[in-house]
Amino acid sequence: MSEGKIIQKGVHGVDCEHALCLLYQMMFIRRFEDKSAELYSAMKIRGFLHLYNGEEAVAVGAMQALTPEDAIVATYREHGQALARGISAGAIMAEMYGKQEGCSRGRGGSMHLFDAKTRFYGGNAIVGCGLPVAVGLALADKMQGKKSVTCCLFGDGAVAEGEFHESLNLAALWNLPVLFFCENNLYAMGTALKYSQSVTDLSKKVESYDVASSSVDGMDVLAVEAAVKKAVEFVRSGKGPYFLEFRTYRFRAHSMFDPQLYRTKEEVEEWKKRDPIDTFIHRLKDQGLINDTDIKELEEKAEAEINEAVVFAEAGTWEPVEDLTRFVYSERREV
Amino acid sequence: MNGEPQEVLKTTYREAVREAIRDAMRRDERVFLMGEDVGRYGGCFAVSKGLLEEFGPERIRDTPLSESTFVGAGIGAALGGMRPIVEIMTVNFSLLAADQILNTAATYLHMSGGLFNVPLVIRMATGGGKQLAAQHSHSLEGWFAHIPGIKVLTPATLEDARGMLWTALEDPDPVLIFENSTLYNMEGELPVDAGAVDINHARVCRQGNDITIITYGASLFKVLDAADILEKNGICAEVIDLRTLRPLDDATYLSSVAKTHRALIVDEGWRSGSISAEISARIMEGAFYELDCPVERICSAEVPMPYAKHLEQAALPQTETIVTTVKRMVGTNG
C-alpha cells in the first residue's frame, strides 16, 4: 500500500500528507475487505473469512507509531493490521487463495497471515492465545537488551479468557514492553459484551494488575494514532506494559456464515454514522484539505492496487501435493 | 580412550538433569529456565536447586501458576531469539498449557509456511508410583506423541537425563522432555565428561534372541529386572529403550523383532489409544510375517491413579507381570 499524494499544506494542526496517508490506508483496507467478500462469494477464497470493515482506524492508527523492529501478534481478523504493517496485498490475497506465493505459502489462509520481514507473528485463531506469545516476544527483546516493543491485538472476547489475565499479570510482574491492544467491537462473535462480562468497563480489569491503561475512540484514526503514540512511548521507555481499549464496531458479519441475529440493523446503521473513513473525509473536507476529485483519485488508486493483488493471486501456483508434509519440522538446523 | 577406564562420578538422575541445565546455561546465554517454583523453592522435585544463586533471577525465572501463559511466553521467547527451557511441574498440569503446546508451538512452523520455527524445550515430571493420586500421577507422554510438529523425549538413564537436554536445545523445533518422577533419586555413575546424546534412536539395552521387550521411561528398569529373572529361567530377552516417542525409531525395534520373532510392549500409559498401540500396529505393518505369536502389551490399568499404595502398584506395570507374560509368550508359542 503506497502513500497518498501531497495536495496542500495542512491546517488546524493536521499534517496534510500524513492525513492523506492515513485516509488512503483506511480506504485501501475497506476496499480490500469488500473485494475479499466478493471473492468469497465467487468461491475463490474459502474457509473462515473475518472482515475488518468499520475497524480500519484501529489498525491504521496503531501501526503508525511502531518501528520495523517491533513485533506484532494479531488475531484471525487481521487483514487490516497486516496491510497497515506493510505486508503486500498480493501476498495476502494469494494466501487467501491458498497459493504458495501467499505470505504463509497457502498453509495458513485468511486467519494465519505471517511475515518475518515485518515481524508479523500471525494471524492467531484461538481467542487469547496470542497474548502469552506476545509476552514471550517482549521478554526475549528485553533479555537481549533490545528497544523493541511487542504489539498484541485481540478482541473484547479475549478478555474472558484466562490467558488475558495471566498475560497482563505476567507482563506487569516482569515489567515487559507489551502493548495490549483490545479492539472492543462489543461482540465476541454473537455474544454482546454485557452478556459475557460482569464488568464491561475493560480498563477496570487491568487496573488490578497495575497496568497503565486508557480507552480511545476507535472510530477516529487521529485519536487512535495519538493514543498509541503515547502508549508506545510509555512502553519503550521501560515503564512496563500498556493496555489500550479501542472502542470500535464491526460493520460486517463476524464471518461469512453469520446471519447477525444478535444485533439490530438500526444498531449497525447508528454505528455507520461514525464510519471512520467517512468521518475522516468530512473532517479533511471541512479543513479544506481534500475534495471529491482527490477522493476519487484515492479510490481509483486503491482499486487498481487491489486488482493487481487479485491478478497476482490468480496467477499464483498451487504447492505440489508431494510437499504436503513439509514445515512440520524445520528443514535446516540452526543453533 | 584406548581402553583406559573413564573417570566417573557418582550422581543421581536429579543431579544429572540439573547438571544438564547448568551446562546449557553456561554454554549459551540465550538459554534460561522458567516455571513454577524453579527459583527460590529450588524446583518441585529439587531439580533446579542452587541454580537461582548461580545464574540469578533473570535466567532462573519463577512464574505465577499460569501454565498456559508461561508456556506461551516460552514460545514467544523462542520466536524472539532465546532458547527457553520451560518446566511444568507435572504432566497433569501440562493440560492447562495443552492449547499452547498443540495449537501454537506445534503449528507455527506449518501455519507460517516455514517462516517461524519454535526452538522451545519443555520439561515435565511424569508417571505414577509416589502415591500422588489421580491428578499428579499420569503418563501422558504417549498422548503428546500423537502431535506432529513436536518431539517427545523420555530419558530413562542417567546418560539421557544428562545428555538429552542440550540436543533438545539445539533442535530448531519444540521438544518435550518427560522425566519420570520415580527416577529422580536413582543413583549411578556418569563419566565426568558426559554430554549431549543423540535423540533420534532407540537403544538396545540388553541383547537377546527369544523376545523383544520394548519400553521407555521408568518401566525400563522393571523390564531389565524381569530380563534378569527370565535369564535364570533360560529365556533371553532383548530389551529396547525407545528413548524418543516422537519420532519413533521404527528400524531398531523392527529389526529386533525380526531376530526374536516375539514382541512385548511395556508402557506406563493407559492401554487404549496408547503409544504401545501405535508400536503394536507398526510391528503388524512392518514385521507381521516375522512374528511367532501375537504382539502383547502391558500397560497401566485404565483407572485414574488411586492413592492407596497397593492399588497404585496394582495399576502400574510390574516386573512380575512382565516375567509371567514373557514366560507364557515364549513357552506356549516356542
Side-chain angles (χ1 to χ4, degrees):
Chain A
M1 204 172 2
S2 56
E3 293 178 8
K5 61 168 185 162
I6 305 168
I7 48 170
Q8 63 183 86
K9 192 77 188 161
V11 288
H12 303 307
V14 182
D15 179 304
C16 182
E17 185 186 356
H18 184 58
L20 279 179
C21 170
L22 297 176
L23 176 62
Y24 181 68
Q25 288 193 37
M26 290 198 292
M27 288 170 68
F28 190 95
I29 293 169
R30 177 71 56 90
R31 186 66 201 117
F32 186 89
E33 296 297 64
D34 289 341
K35 177 61 88 178
S36 299
E38 282 171 43
L39 292 165
Y40 196 89
S41 300
M43 298 179 74
K44 294 285 188 180
I45 299 173
R46 297 282 80 194
F48 279 142
L49 181 68
H50 307 90
L51 301 175
Y52 200 56
N53 300 50
E55 304 184 38
E56 296 90 344
V58 178
V60 172
M63 294 301 154
Q64 303 306 315
L66 300 175
T67 69
E69 292 75 34
D70 296 333
I72 319 286
V73 182
T75 70
Y76 52 85
R77 194 184 305 285
E78 89 284 34
H79 307 164
Q81 292 88 340
L83 288 166
R85 181 62 175 168
I87 306 178
S88 86
I92 297 171
M93 193 58 87
E95 184 59 35
M96 295 198 288
Y97 269 62
K99 300 287 182 74
Q100 60 183 341
E101 290 77 9
C103 57
S104 310
R105 289 183 71 99
R107 302 264 173 162
S110 161
M111 297 191 287
H112 304 299
L113 305 176
F114 285 86
D115 184 52
K117 195 161 59 70
T118 58
R119 297 196 76 200
F120 197 89
Y121 295 96
N124 295 278
I126 305 292
V127 173
C129 79
L131 282 88
V133 175
V135 169
L137 282 161
L139 174 64
D141 284 338
K142 191 180 176 188
M143 290 182 81
Q144 293 169 99
K146 295 178 181 167
K147 275 285 167 202
S148 316
V149 302
T150 298
C151 170
C152 182
L153 294 128
F154 51 91
D156 47 289
V159 174
E161 294 282 359
E163 285 181 325
F164 170 83
H165 299 273
E166 294 182 2
S167 296
L168 264 286
N169 177 54
L170 193 59
L173 186 72
W174 289 355
N175 201 43
L176 299 177
V178 190
L179 295 158
F180 290 105
F181 284 178
C182 179
E183 302 179 292
N184 181 4
N185 65 18
L186 301 174
Y187 292 90
M189 205 160 118
T191 300
L193 195 61
K194 63 181 174 186
Y195 297 125
S196 64
Q197 289 293 330
S198 61
V199 174
T200 54
D201 180 352
L202 304 181
S203 60
K204 277 192 185 168
K205 294 178 190 295
V206 303
E207 271 172 28
S208 69
Y209 303 110
D210 203 19
V211 171
S213 72
S214 53
S215 291
V216 62
D217 179 3
M219 308 304 270
D220 177 348
V221 69
L222 294 177
V224 169
E225 187 184 16
V228 169
K229 196 164 169 252
K230 221 175 94 184
V232 170
E233 278 168 12
F234 180 94
V235 170
R236 215 185 290 283
S237 69
K239 292 178 184 162
Y242 198 99
F243 174 87
L244 200 45
E245 177 198 13
F246 302 102
R247 295 188 173 157
T248 184
Y249 198 78
R250 155 171 67 69
F251 292 168
R252 279 183 172 271
H254 166 75
S255 71
M256 302 306 280
F257 300 103
D258 168 17
Q260 302 187 68
L261 303 172
Y262 49 86
R263 63 184 189 181
T264 63
K265 285 196 171 65
E266 291 73 26
E267 180 185 295
V268 179
E269 288 312 308
E270 200 55 39
W271 272 92
K272 280 188 174 172
K273 289 177 188 163
R274 296 176 57 193
D275 186 315
I277 299 173
D278 291 348
T279 53
F280 194 52
I281 287 174
H282 286 141
R283 206 160 150 188
L284 296 176
K285 275 186 176 173
D286 286 349
Q287 295 182 9
L289 293 178
I290 196 168
N291 59 38
D292 288 339
T293 319
D294 299 319
I295 294 162
K296 193 158 180 293
E297 266 181 41
L298 293 180
E299 276 170 354
E300 283 169 2
K301 188 165 138 53
E303 182 71 21
E305 265 193 66
I306 288 161
N307 286 341
E308 270 176 42
V310 174
V311 169
F312 178 77
E314 288 281 350
T317 52
W318 306 111
E319 194 174 5
V321 172
E322 296 71 45
D323 288 353
L324 172 66
T325 55
R326 288 183 69 190
F327 315 118
V328 177
Y329 297 100
S330 296
E331 288 167 9
R332 61 196 165 87
R333 295 178 65 87
E334 46 181 334
V335 181
Chain B
M1 301 295 284
N2 299 325
E4 292 286 317
Q6 281 186 301
E7 203 183 330
V8 293
L9 276 179
K10 279 200 154 188
T11 189
T12 63
Y13 186 98
R14 173 185 292 104
E15 285 165 6
V17 177
R18 184 186 304 141
E19 195 49 36
I21 299 170
R22 182 183 282 131
D23 184 29
M25 302 273 293
R26 284 179 182 157
R27 286 170 81 157
D28 188 341
E29 61 181 19
R30 298 172 302 175
V31 174
F32 68 100
L33 175 71
M34 68 174 160
E36 293 154 355
D37 280 319
V38 298
R40 290 156 190 88
Y41 189 96
C44 178
F45 293 96
V47 167
S48 51
K49 200 172 167 195
L51 297 182
L52 175 66
E53 290 72 16
E54 187 173 350
F55 296 102
E58 271 292 298
R59 297 183 72 198
I60 304 291
R61 291 182 167 262
D62 281 321
T63 64
L65 280 75
S66 310
E67 286 82 359
S68 191
T69 284
F70 68 71
V71 168
I75 294 166
L79 288 165
M82 300 298 286
R83 290 293 180 273
I85 304 169
V86 172
E87 176 176 314
I88 300 175
M89 272 190 190
T90 81
V91 68
N92 287 77
F93 306 171
S94 76
L95 300 187
L96 290 157
D99 167 56
Q100 288 292 347
I101 296 169
L102 200 162
N103 282 320
T104 311
T107 60
Y108 249 47
L109 181 72
H110 188 258
M111 282 199 306
S112 68
L115 288 179
F116 293 117
N117 59 300
V118 182
L120 167 71
V121 173
I122 304 175
R123 299 173 37 246
M124 65 187 97
T126 187
K130 294 167 78 91
Q131 286 195 266
L132 299 177
Q135 294 183 333
H136 286 73
S137 306
H138 293 131
S139 289
L140 302 179
E141 50 277 358
W143 210 26
F144 280 102
H146 181 64
I147 305 168
I150 60 175
K151 291 182 180 171
V152 174
L153 313 185
T154 53
T157 60
L158 295 179
E159 288 77 10
D160 284 349
R162 174 68 182 82
M164 278 184 160
L165 181 71
W166 181 253
T167 315
L169 283 165
E170 283 189 301
D171 200 283
D173 301 310
V175 180
L176 274 56
I177 304 180
F178 293 84
E179 299 159 6
N180 192 293
S181 66
T182 61
L183 296 177
Y184 283 125
N185 289 330
M186 182 174 74
E187 293 176 337
E189 288 178 341
L190 266 182
V192 284
D193 60 351
V197 296
D198 152 83
I199 58 169
N200 297 318
H201 297 94
R203 191 169 67 98
V204 179
C205 303
R206 183 187 173 114
Q207 304 270 352
N209 294 311
D210 297 324
I211 187 167
T212 300
I213 310 180
I214 302 159
T215 189
Y216 70 90
S219 300
L220 172 65
F221 302 99
K222 294 175 181 172
V223 169
L224 288 171
D225 288 347
D228 284 344
I229 297 167
L230 288 163
E231 193 175 28
K232 287 171 193 149
N233 289 268
I235 295 172
C236 198
E238 181 141 302
V239 177
I240 292 177
D241 175 9
L242 288 168
R243 302 179 67 242
T244 296
L245 303 190
R246 186 180 191 98
L248 278 170
D249 172 15
D250 297 334
T252 297
Y253 62 80
L254 289 178
S255 62
S256 175
V257 171
K259 180 176 75 172
T260 66
H261 309 294
R262 295 181 188 88
L264 170 69
I265 306 152
V266 181
D267 172 13
E268 207 181 306
W270 290 304
R271 185 185 183 94
S272 302
S274 61
I275 193 74
S276 65
E278 177 62 31
I279 294 163
S280 172
R282 290 188 190 200
I283 293 171
M284 239 59 91
E285 289 161 352
F288 181 78
Y289 296 106
E290 300 289 351
L291 292 171
D292 282 348
C293 66
V295 174
E296 293 202 31
R297 294 182 283 152
I298 297 172
C299 302
S300 280
E302 302 220 1
V303 290
M305 194 61 79
Y307 161 72
K309 190 172 185 179
H310 69 293
L311 292 177
E312 182 183 40
Q313 289 303 316
L316 291 166
Q318 299 297 351
T319 304
E320 200 177 308
T321 330
I322 299 165
V323 170
T324 342
T325 306
V326 170
K327 279 185 181 169
R328 177 172 48 71
M329 286 175 75
V330 175
T332 57
N333 296 284

